[in-house]
Amino acid sequence: MPETVRVRFAPSPTGKLHVGGARTALFNWAFARGRGGVFLLRIEDTDPERSRREHEAEILEGLAWLGLDWDEGPDVGGPHGPYRQSERLERHRELADRLLAEGRAYRCFCGPERLAELRAEQEARKQTPAYDRRCRSVAPDESARRAAAGEAFTLRFLVPEGETRFRDAVRRDVTFANAEVDDWIMVRTDGKPTYNFVVVCDDADMAVTHVLRGEEHLVNTPKQVLLYRALGFDVPEFGHLPLMLGTDGRKLSKRTGDTALADYRDGGYPPEALANFLCLQGWALDGETEVFSLETLVERFDVADVGKAGSVFDPDKLLWLAGEYVRADSPERLAERCAPFVAAAGLADADELERRRPWFVDVLRTEQERIRTYAELPARIAYLFAADDAVEYDDKALKNARKHARARELLEEYGAWLAERFDEGPDAVREATKAWVVERELKMPVLFQPLRLALTGLPGGPDLFEVMALLGRDASLRRIRVAGERLA
RNA sequence: GGCCCCUUCGUCUAGUCAGGCCUAGGACACCAGGUUUUCAUCCUGGCGACAGGGGUUCGAAUCCCCUAGGGGUCACCA
C-alpha cells in the first residue's frame, strides 16, 4: 500500500504571486489531484520585516482564480496545522535544541563584523565565501557558559563529511560533495529560525512526500537532505522545476514585463488561458495538443515528464490562447466577465449593463471572435455608447469612406431607403441592401465603407446589419444622416 | 570565480531514459494566398532547429567524451 501523496505550495507573503510561483502551485496541485493525494498550502512568513497579511490573502485569491483548490491551508485548516510558519515557532525551537544537544548543530559566536571581514578576505583571495567553522571548536561547556552569560550567538548546522545524493523526479539522481555545503545558520541571533531549517521541519511534520519547487532551490537541497537525516525524518522525493525566463533569457523579473498573476487577471485574460499557458511551460501533453483543460492536466500530468531546460515566457502565445478561450466561451458568460472592464472604461455602469443584459450578450456575440482578452472589448464597442452626432471617426475609416466620391449622396439616398424597411430585420435588410447596391452597378465597398464609418467610425468590425440591430432603428438612421453632413 | 544545472525552428515543445518508424512532428509569431461589406475568425501554403567537434555503431537528435554558450546559486531573504 503506497503512502498517500502529500504535496505543498509554500509561498512567502512578501509580495504578489508571481506567475512562476503560480506554475509551481499548478504542477503541485495537478500531481496531487492526479494521484488522489493531498495538496496543502503553507505560508512561509518567517521574515517579519517583509511578510504581510494582505499579500497572503492576495496569493490565496490568485490561486483560486487560476482554478486551484487546496485541502489544507491557513484559511481552511487541517490536521497538520498551523499553516503559517510564524505560528510553529515552538516546534522549530524544540527541534533546534535537539540538534544542539546531539552535537549536530553548534553555537556560533562570530558576529556580523567578523563574518564580513572573513568574506572580504575570501573574496580578495578569490575564494568562495563560506564560514570557516571556527566555532566548531568551542567546547560544549564553554559554549553553554558563554550563552548563559548573554553572549549573542547563532545556531549553525554541522555539515558532516562525505557526499549527499537525493532523488529528483526531474533531474534523476543528484549528488553534491558535502565539502561544498556551508555550515549554514539554522537559528538567528534573535532566536528566529531561517528558511532552510523551518522548511524541513514543517515539510516533515506535515508529512510532505514530494517537494516540487523551482530550480533556484536545487542548491538548497543538500542542506535540507542533511537536515532531514540529522533529525531522523524520511527524506521526501524532490522535483526541481525548470525556471521561467524572460525574453532576455534570465529568470523572469519585473524588468522583463508583467510577472504578477494579478496583472493578467486585471489585464482581462481568462484564467483558463493562463492556467493552460502555464502548463505549457516545461511540460507538454503530447506535443500536439496545445489547448486543454485543467481536468486533462490532472489526468495526464506527471512530474517525471517535466523538462529540464528553462522556458522563455512568450506573451504572444498567451494572447493567442486567451483568444482561443474567449472564442470557445458562451456569450452569456463572456458578458458577465467583460462587464467590469466595460464599466471600468467608463462606457456604462454595472447597473446599466445588468439592465440591458440581453442586449449586452448580443454585443458579445458579435465581438467574441474579435477580442482575445476582456480588456480589449471596451475600445471595440465604445461607438455603441457614443452620442449619435459625435461618433469618433477613425482616420483610416474616414479615408476608406472618402475614397468614394459620391459617398455623401449615396448615404443620404440609402438612409431614406433604409428607413422604409429597417424593421424587416438584419437578414432581410442585408439581402435587400446587396440587391440595392447591385442595381446601381456599384461595388459593395462603395456603400459599405461609408456606412461603416457612419455607424461605428471604425475601419473594421462586425457585420453592419448586426451593428444596426444593436444600435436600433433611430440611432442607425440618425448616424447615417449625420455622417452625410459630416462628410460634406 | 567555486559549485550545480541546462542546450531540438525566433519562442513553447514532441522525439532522447528502451539507437533505426525522424529526408525531425505540432503550436505561437512571421510571410503569401483563399473566404468576407471591412476587421476578426476560419482554411491552404511557406519560412524555420537536432550548439560545435570527436568517438561507439551497419545505423545517433537519441549512447560516451571534449569544447562552447546560457542559466541558477553562493545572506543572521525565502
Side-chain angles (χ1 to χ4, degrees), chain A residues 460-483:
Chain A
D463 172 83
L464 285 177
F465 303 92
E466 287 175 28
V467 167
M468 286 193 236
L470 292 174
L471 282 169
R473 178 193 167 91
D474 290 352
S476 299
L477 294 175
R478 210 174 304 139
R479 287 181 184 208
I480 291 169
R481 198 178 328 119
V482 172

Side-chain angles (χ1 to χ4, degrees), chain A residues 6-72:
Chain A
R6 290 180 58 86
V7 296
R8 46 66 159 186
F9 177 58
S12 65
T14 53
K16 296 181 170 188
L17 178 59
H18 185 100
V19 286
R23 187 198 55 171
T24 301
L26 180 62
F27 284 178
N28 270 287
W29 174 85
F31 187 69
R33 292 289 172 263
R35 292 168 191 242
V38 170
F39 176 54
L40 66 93
L41 247 39
R42 184 179 66 230
I43 302 299
E44 314 234 306
D45 56 350
T46 51
D47 182 353
E49 298 292 303
R50 302 192 299 146
S51 296
R52 304 275 293 271
R53 258 316 159 81
E54 308 92 84
H55 291 142
E56 176 188 317
E58 279 173 14
I59 289 168
L60 264 49
E61 264 174 48
L63 294 173
W65 175 77
L66 247 200
L68 309 189
D69 57 357
W70 45 96
D71 309 298
E72 300 173 25

Side-chain angles (χ1 to χ4, degrees), chain A residues 275-297:
Chain A
N276 193 154
F277 177 77
L278 258 17
C279 292
L280 262 15
Q281 298 280 288
W283 185 79
L285 210 178
D286 54 13
E288 303 274 307
T289 314
E290 307 279 334
V291 184
F292 53 86
S293 65
L294 250 31
E295 191 185 1
T296 303
L297 173 75

